Amino acid sequence: MENRDLTIVTQDGTEILCEVLFTNYSEQFNKHYLVFVQKGTDNASAAIFDPNETENTKLQDIETEEEWAYLEDLLEKFIAKQEGCSGECAGCQEDCESRFDEEDLD
């Protein structure tokens, strides 16, 4: 995902600027998920999205505790992978974020 910025517009019209951490498709739930943080915070959240909608995508709420548990596990793996890097990785000299492979989360 090239542009990692996301603006969420609440029902009352408030705009919340967020950064996408990663997206993931779950075969188990047959859904696409978007995991993000509100800019300036460390509080992660997630939503269901349709990857075929390119503009004004409507995010849907996570529906079950099983889905939340699945996403929390993915987020823990994502964080562990990020913490394993120290800014530049030995050998590749690229930012760790550019080496993150979402398939590694499954």
Side-chain angles (χ1 to χ4, degrees):
M1 171 174 273
E2 213 169 284
N3 182 2
R4 302 188 77 79
D5 289 337
L6 169 71
T7 302
I8 296 176
V9 181
T10 63
Q11 289 181 344
D12 67 0
T14 303
E15 292 187 359
I16 302 170
L17 185 57
C18 300
E19 178 181 358
V20 175
L21 298 177
F22 60 89
T23 61
N24 183 267
Y25 172 75
S26 167
E27 289 184 17
Q28 176 183 357
F29 299 109
N30 192 30
K31 296 177 184 172
H32 292 268
Y33 296 100
L34 179 73
V35 180
F36 57 93
V37 294
Q38 184 175 343
K39 291 270 187 157
T41 74
D42 291 330
N43 298 328
S45 192
I48 300 166
F49 79 105
D50 181 350
N52 297 317
E53 290 184 30
T54 56
E55 291 186 28
N56 299 322
T57 300
K58 294 190 188 276
L59 301 178
Q60 299 173 20
D61 292 333
I62 306 300
E63 299 173 347
T64 67
E65 290 298 318
E66 292 81 12
E67 288 176 282
W68 278 116
Y70 168 78
L71 292 165
E72 287 171 2
D73 183 54
L74 290 180
L75 182 58
E76 287 176 15
K77 290 177 182 178
F78 174 83
I79 291 168
K81 191 169 192 76
Q82 297 303 303
E83 289 176 351
C85 293
S86 60
E88 288 190 359
C89 299
C92 69
Q93 300 301 313
E94 293 181 25
D95 290 337
C96 296
E97 200 169 14
S98 67
R99 294 182 52 240
F100 177 67
D101 186 358
E102 292 163 9
E103 285 79 32
D104 290 345
L105 294 174
D106 292 329

